[in-house]
Amino acid sequence: ALRGGPAPLSGDGVVAVVGLHRLGAVEEAVRAARAGDEVTAVLVTGDPGELGPLVRLVVAGLRGCLREAFPRTAWPRLGVVFDERGAVAAAAGVPAVSDGTETAVRVRAGRVVARADGHGACHSAASAAGP
């Protein structure tokens, strides 16, 4: 959603599944990620009918501001995915989503090598060494 194209979910990096009340945790993942890591924020909500369109509007506004102010090469290393049905969250092992959800996984060579749930999960998974 941020870059206007598909967001890779299988490359090396961090996939952060966050509810709308935990969006600040995405910054923790971006800051803690290693150089070259892809960071993908998967946005979920307990009320996709009402809050889904609002978050899409906010991200579209952010994308417009980024496009006007910065060259694409200076944009944050971040992909944004809207997961209104919870399919990506379920694939990451999240049994139910809410606006307070925070779960993150570190992927290396196509395998999940670290996983964390709850407050601090994005930082924990992004900074994990893994096997």
Side-chain angles (χ1 to χ4, degrees):
L2 188 60
R3 297 186 177 276
L9 296 173
S10 60
D12 288 356
V14 179
V15 177
V17 179
V18 294
L20 300 184
H21 294 169
R22 298 295 307 139
L23 289 177
V26 174
E27 179 185 2
E28 297 170 18
V30 171
R31 289 182 183 270
R34 297 180 187 98
D37 278 349
E38 298 197 20
V39 178
T40 303
V42 178
L43 307 184
V44 297
T45 179
D47 187 3
E50 183 173 347
L51 298 179
L54 291 175
V55 76
R56 285 179 181 279
L57 177 65
V58 169
V59 171
L62 174 62
R63 183 177 54 231
C65 291
L66 283 172
R67 189 177 302 135
E68 293 294 322
F70 300 101
R72 200 177 255 293
T73 57
W75 286 21
R77 324 169 277 163
L78 177 66
V80 177
V81 173
F82 301 117
D83 189 18
E84 292 167 339
R85 294 189 183 123
V88 177
V94 180
V97 298
S98 72
D99 291 311
T101 297
E102 183 180 345
T103 297
V105 295
R106 171 167 278 290
V107 178
R108 185 174 301 128
R111 302 188 72 164
V112 173
V113 296
R115 176 185 167 77
D117 295 296
H119 287 271
C122 291
H123 181 271
S124 179
S127 60

